[in-house]
Amino acid sequence: MYMLFRMLGPLEVDGGGVPVGLGGTRQRATLGFLMMHANRVVASSQLIDALWPAGRAPQSARKILQNSVWRLRRALPLGDGEFTGVRLQSQAPGYMLCAEPEQIDLYHFRRLAQCGHAELAAGAPRAAAVLLREALALWRGPVLADLVETGIDWPELASVQNARLDALEDFFEAELACGHHHRVLAELEKTVATEVLRERLLGQLMLALYRSGRQTDALDVYSGARAAMAERLGLEPGHALQALQQAVLTHDPALIPVGIREQIEVRMTGAPREPARTAAAAAASARPAAPPPPAEIPAGPPPEAERRVRPETRPERVADEAASRPVPRTMVAERKEVSVLIARVQLMPDAAGVDPQRMDEAVEQVAATIRGEVECLGGTVAASIGPISLVLFGVPEAADDDAERAVHAALTIRDQLTRIADPGEPDGGCTRGVSVQVAVATGEALVRYQPDRSGVPPTVNGALLDECHTLLSDTRAGEIRVCDNTRRSTGFAVTYQHGSPSSGWTVGGFRQEYTALHAVPVIDREYDLDVLRGLLQRSRHQATPHLVTVLGEPGVGKTRFVMEFERRVAANADTVRLVVGRVRPGGGAHPLEALHDLLLACCGILQGDRVETMTAKLNATVRRLKASEGDCRWMLSCLAPLVDPAAAQAPPDEMLTASREFLGAVAASTPLVLVFEDLHWADQALVDFVENLTASQAGLPIFVIVTAGPELLKRRPEWGEGSLNRLTITLEPISDAAIDRLLEFLMSTTEGGAKNSVGGLLEALLESGGREPDSRRHQLRRILASGSASLRYERCSGGGGLSAAAPECTPRLSGHAYG
């Protein structure tokens, strides 16, 4: 009986056409590791390290290993090895699996891949393609896929996956040399979409697109790869890929050698182009014709032509499965109205000397700040190369307030980044300042994007991008300059200084009446606010934890609703500590960033505090709350990384446990209200933490408010069910009657001050929407929703209430506290 071992996919053993049962995970992992090192002795200590995480092996590990080998010998029909060709033998200092290379699919694959590579190097792409196709067909999924699902993560697995990727690249190269670009194009697009840093694959995709008549798409592949490399690695593409881009731009004839050009001509027109007859051609036509190659494998180009067009760069990994699969979702390309933001941020090193580590940290902080503020406002960072960041608003869905959100992002980015370096620090920091220049342009552009926001970032091309670049070149440090379209779209909210349609306009700041408009109390929510206030009173007086979830579609007013509740809490004389944290799309700079904001706010830590100041505040707060010195040391060791990145990182479970105990201690001192905004964007660990927070705080006045979109219930259908003291409030769109009452109130206000300004602003805005009641209501709803997801105004230092931002100041986007 001849046995076959398969590991290129789930682990399988075929005993003469009959599947062999291998037992439990431990036995399967033992066999899998021995197969990885077939015909070599594997030490028992090496097997133990492979079967258990480092430092987690039990004292009986060797006995367990011996039992696993014994059970494998019973499960496998090994006999004496004479008929099966396989032996599992003990040999100091461990064990060895003896088998013929053809009996293990991994070694069979390696032999075929090596032969295919040799044929390709020898200039025989047709033979290489046949061998490589056979080698890749042995793969049934990721190597040892069933063991990987149980947590197995051996370094050898990555090496095997990379060997498959090398063979896949050789296969693509052989097929391209045979003129089969149309066969491999879909698979190339799928592979490159999941891994944009493997330059040889990128070059092959560009070549296949170019030969398919898609020159623009080939150049887009290069642009997307260049942006990804710059963002992730800070590097430019290699010389081979740059040379290929130039060849595509200039239509270099070497990209389509004569033999392949004729094949393309036949496929496109049904007949080859009639060449000019020369004496040599006439002589050739008189000779007997050579037999044509098989139809499915056309003749390839001469080796020298193949070498001229082949990208030689070999970077790192790519996705696994290369067998035939459905055509992947491609990028959508369309001309649409968007707002483009380009920011140039340059750090100015201290002339006294630069600490490279601190400078790198500052650069990372700049990138994280830009990405966080942009994503909070619904934009997308399309590219980041050196000091330049390119941001798009209106992709994939356009909105009426794209230009407004772009300018809002520009103001926030500028104001946030100016806080990175403080020249007044005693040590001078690592920089003398930050130079920020931002330009915004609005109009039509050619945009390519994936509708579900997954995969590669969107790209933009056209005159709009050039216009934004021109604006940026005319912008001085600290300035924000916008085009005339952007100014007209945002004039109701933003003040502008000197400018012209040709040279752009300089942003002043938000209008006072605009910020006052967003401070108008919410309407049509009184009953829900009363319910929330009543539950808070119950939580305070009965020392009972509560969890309230506020659900609603985007733009329905969840943030404004919670802001109004905060305003009423702040205006009440009762002592309540309220802290707010916002979850950013994609988790922000850290998956638990919102929780971090809450914890820091409880300690009185402010934006701009130095590490030493933040550490001192955290220490003081913990020691005030915890009497035991041991408890203090443990809690500080878990929470210290929140304020000092250089501190030793505690395990995530311990950090969450410490956070839970810290918040409970705060609530035991003062009734505590925690607000988690946009929890549907949160990491799984944060969702679990919030859901279980009140259940773990029995007997404490802790009141948790969660705002979320319907996506939260898709992730957790049972959210808020089956537990006491939990309530869900679903906000519906504001009724027409309530909108009409607000319109009547605002438009009839004739007193001086902010209300009069607001009324005048509304009148101008509503005029642009027409006189029809439905149009006016729609316009007012749009105004109230614009920016409401991010406008959080500075807190009054004394009374703890809400106050509108100053005319030329940007509302702060962060966690905050008052009490």
Side-chain angles (χ1 to χ4, degrees):
M1 179 174 58
Y2 196 74
M3 296 183 64
L4 296 175
F5 293 81
R6 301 189 181 100
M7 56 190 301
L8 303 182
L11 178 59
E12 294 178 358
V13 176
D14 185 339
V18 179
V20 176
L22 299 175
T25 301
R26 197 81 65 194
Q27 292 165 222
R28 299 174 68 85
T30 301
L31 178 60
F33 197 76
L34 290 170
M35 289 167 60
M36 296 278 295
H37 303 83
N39 299 316
R40 285 181 288 169
V41 177
V42 180
S44 297
S45 59
Q46 190 178 358
L47 274 166
I48 290 173
D49 290 341
L51 297 179
W52 285 276
R56 301 282 296 278
Q59 292 183 349
S60 59
R62 287 186 179 272
K63 185 64 176 178
I64 295 174
L65 175 60
Q66 291 170 1
N67 290 337
S68 296
V69 173
W70 178 76
R71 291 191 179 94
L72 280 173
R73 283 174 173 153
R74 295 192 61 186
L76 297 171
L78 299 176
D80 60 3
E82 180 178 353
F83 299 103
T84 63
V86 177
R87 295 187 307 278
L88 178 52
Q89 59 189 40
S90 300
Q91 184 171 334
Y95 303 93
M96 179 168 63
L97 179 69
C98 300
E100 296 296 327
E102 288 76 12
Q103 291 182 276
I104 301 177
D105 59 356
L106 171 61
Y107 297 94
H108 187 37
F109 160 76
R110 284 176 173 168
R111 183 183 63 80
L112 290 171
Q114 288 170 0
C115 293
H117 181 77
E119 292 287 351
L120 185 61
R126 289 179 294 171
V130 173
L131 290 167
L132 292 165
R133 188 183 298 115
E134 183 180 352
L136 293 168
L138 294 173
W139 285 77
R140 298 168 290 111
V143 60
L144 295 177
D146 54 334
L147 295 179
V148 172
E149 286 296 318
T150 67
I152 292 296
D153 185 19
W154 302 327
E156 294 88 347
L157 299 180
S159 175
V160 175
Q161 289 294 142
N162 282 330
R164 176 189 174 278
L165 298 176
D166 289 337
L168 184 60
E169 288 178 335
D170 283 345
F171 172 70
F172 287 145
E173 185 171 331
E175 290 284 71
L176 288 171
C178 293
H180 295 168
H181 48 275
H182 60 290
R183 289 187 183 179
V184 297
L185 181 55
E187 196 170 352
L188 267 169
E189 288 181 316
K190 174 187 175 181
T191 308
V192 170
T194 56
E195 180 57 71
V196 297
L197 299 180
R198 197 161 178 121
E199 294 195 23
R200 189 182 179 199
L201 276 172
L202 289 164
Q204 290 169 340
L205 176 57
M206 290 175 62
L207 192 58
L209 288 168
Y210 181 80
R211 290 181 178 177
S212 300
R214 297 166 59 183
Q215 179 195 15
T216 303
D217 291 338
L219 294 173
D220 282 346
V221 169
Y222 178 84
S223 299
R226 183 184 180 209
M229 291 177 188
E231 180 178 358
R232 300 184 194 181
L233 307 175
L235 299 174
E236 288 286 320
H239 294 300
L241 206 59
Q242 293 183 32
L244 181 60
Q245 183 222 18
Q246 290 300 315
V248 171
L249 285 169
T250 59
H251 294 279
D252 190 336
L255 294 178
I256 309 180
V258 176
I260 296 179
R261 189 178 299 121
E262 291 177 352
Q263 296 170 34
I264 296 174
E265 195 73 26
V266 172
R267 192 171 295 112
M268 298 288 289
T269 65
R273 182 181 302 168
E274 181 67 25
R277 289 183 63 85
T278 62
S285 64
R287 293 193 294 268
E296 69 277 10
I297 308 178
E304 61 270 20
E306 180 187 353
R307 285 193 292 271
R308 289 178 65 189
V309 301
R310 184 175 67 190
E312 296 295 343
T313 310
R314 288 177 174 267
E316 49 284 337
R317 326 165 268 201
V318 71
D320 34 50
E321 305 208 84
S324 57
R325 291 290 185 272
V327 177
R329 180 180 301 168
T330 57
M331 302 279 281
V332 173
E334 64 173 318
R335 288 194 63 82
K336 62 183 304 184
E337 184 92 4
V338 295
S339 288
V340 177
L341 180 153
I342 302 179
R344 180 189 288 119
V345 182
Q346 294 176 305
L347 299 176
M348 295 174 282
D350 188 353
V354 178
D355 181 344
Q357 181 176 351
R358 295 191 65 184
M359 181 63 72
D360 290 345
E361 291 173 358
V363 171
E364 288 295 322
Q365 187 178 357
V366 166
T369 299
I370 293 175
R371 185 172 298 278
E373 301 301 345
V374 165
E375 291 178 348
C376 182
L377 285 157
T380 303
V381 177
S384 181
I385 304 175
I388 301 292
S389 294
L390 171 65
V391 178
L392 298 181
F393 288 86
V395 180
E397 296 90 13
D400 293 338
D401 61 343
D402 286 334
E404 179 188 344
R405 287 186 289 114
V407 176
H408 191 162
L411 284 162
T412 308
I413 289 169
R414 182 192 64 183
D415 294 348
Q416 292 288 345
L417 292 181
T418 53
R419 301 188 179 100
I420 288 181
D422 181 2
E425 291 185 3
D427 61 0
C430 67
T431 67
R432 289 182 288 108
V434 180
S435 171
V436 183
Q437 302 156 270
V438 189
V440 180
T442 302
E444 275 201 353
L446 177 62
V447 182
R448 287 180 171 83
Y449 61 92
Q450 288 188 332
D452 58 359
R453 295 178 182 265
S454 63
V456 298
T459 63
V460 61
N461 287 298
L464 184 66
L465 193 61
D466 295 336
E467 180 180 7
C468 199
H469 274 294
T470 301
L471 287 171
L472 187 68
S473 65
D474 294 335
T475 303
R476 294 179 297 181
E479 278 189 350
I480 301 169
R481 193 175 288 263
V482 306
C483 71
D484 199 47
N485 282 344
T486 304
R487 180 191 64 84
R488 288 198 301 268
S489 300
T490 60
F492 70 93
V494 180
T495 62
Y496 290 98
Q497 298 168 0
H498 49 80
S500 68
S502 59
S503 62
W505 303 78
T506 304
V507 174
F510 284 108
R511 292 184 181 274
Q512 183 175 9
E513 56 268 30
Y514 174 74
T515 54
L517 174 61
H518 283 84
V520 171
V522 295
I523 55 174
D524 213 20
R525 308 289 194 211
E526 289 300 323
Y527 173 77
D528 295 323
L529 287 167
D530 288 343
V531 170
L532 217 57
R533 183 61 188 274
L535 289 175
L536 175 59
Q537 294 298 328
R538 179 185 177 191
S539 177
R540 290 182 61 253
H541 292 296
Q542 297 183 3
T544 305
H546 281 72
L547 171 63
V548 178
T549 305
V550 180
L551 293 176
E553 297 287 346
V556 78
K558 299 185 294 294
T559 296
R560 289 176 58 82
F561 174 77
V562 173
M563 287 175 64
E564 178 63 15
F565 174 72
E566 296 169 24
R567 187 186 67 81
R568 298 187 183 193
V569 170
N572 194 282
D574 296 333
T575 303
V576 174
R577 186 166 187 81
L578 187 148
V579 289
V580 181
R582 183 187 181 91
V583 181
R584 299 178 185 272
H590 189 281
L592 301 177
E593 184 177 12
L595 176 59
H596 293 179
D597 290 345
L598 294 176
L599 297 174
L600 298 183
C602 286
C603 300
I605 293 174
L606 305 175
Q607 284 186 334
D609 280 351
R610 299 174 57 197
V611 171
E612 296 81 1
T613 303
M614 293 191 290
T615 302
K617 289 181 178 180
L618 176 63
N619 287 341
T621 304
V622 170
R623 295 189 180 280
R624 186 179 72 251
L625 297 174
K626 289 288 185 181
S628 166
E629 180 63 25
D631 288 346
C632 286
R633 285 199 300 269
W634 170 76
M635 184 170 288
L636 287 172
S637 68
C638 295
L639 301 183
L642 301 181
V643 298
D644 184 3
Q649 294 288 330
D653 291 345
E654 285 195 31
M655 192 275 286
L656 291 172
T657 301
S659 301
R660 190 178 298 110
E661 289 194 16
F662 176 85
L663 294 173
V666 174
S669 172
T670 305
L672 180 63
V673 179
L674 302 174
V675 181
F676 292 88
E677 291 201 58
D678 293 332
L679 193 68
H680 56 277
W681 280 330
D683 178 80
Q684 195 68 27
L686 181 57
V687 175
D688 292 339
F689 178 88
V690 175
E691 186 176 25
N692 299 322
L693 182 58
T694 53
S696 64
Q697 306 289 357
L700 292 175
I702 185 167
F703 193 73
V704 180
I705 301 175
V706 167
T707 71
E711 300 93 325
L712 179 62
L713 296 186
K714 294 179 182 178
R715 293 174 59 182
R716 294 288 181 88
E718 72 286 355
W719 178 270
E721 297 178 359
S723 301
L724 296 175
N725 304 324
R726 296 193 176 190
L727 173 70
T728 299
I729 297 175
T730 302
L731 297 184
E732 300 294 339
I734 300 174
S735 66
D736 288 348
I739 287 288
D740 290 341
R741 289 198 304 272
L742 180 61
L743 275 170
E744 183 180 356
F745 167 73
L746 292 174
M747 300 300 293
S748 63
T749 303
T750 56
E751 300 174 358
K755 285 187 176 180
N756 190 40
S757 299
V758 171
L761 173 65
L762 273 175
E763 185 173 9
L765 291 171
L766 296 174
E767 285 295 332
S768 64
R771 287 289 183 178
E772 293 296 323
D774 287 344
S775 300
R776 294 167 69 86
R777 291 170 188 145
H778 171 76
Q779 192 80 326
L780 180 56
R781 283 193 173 95
R782 186 188 74 78
I783 295 166
L784 293 175
S786 64
S788 65
S790 56
L791 282 171
R792 284 203 164 275
Y793 302 105
E794 299 286 352
R795 300 294 176 184
C796 294
S797 57
L802 285 168
S803 65
E808 305 299 327
C809 116
T810 305
R812 184 176 62 180
L813 297 163
S814 65
H816 54 268
Y818 58 83

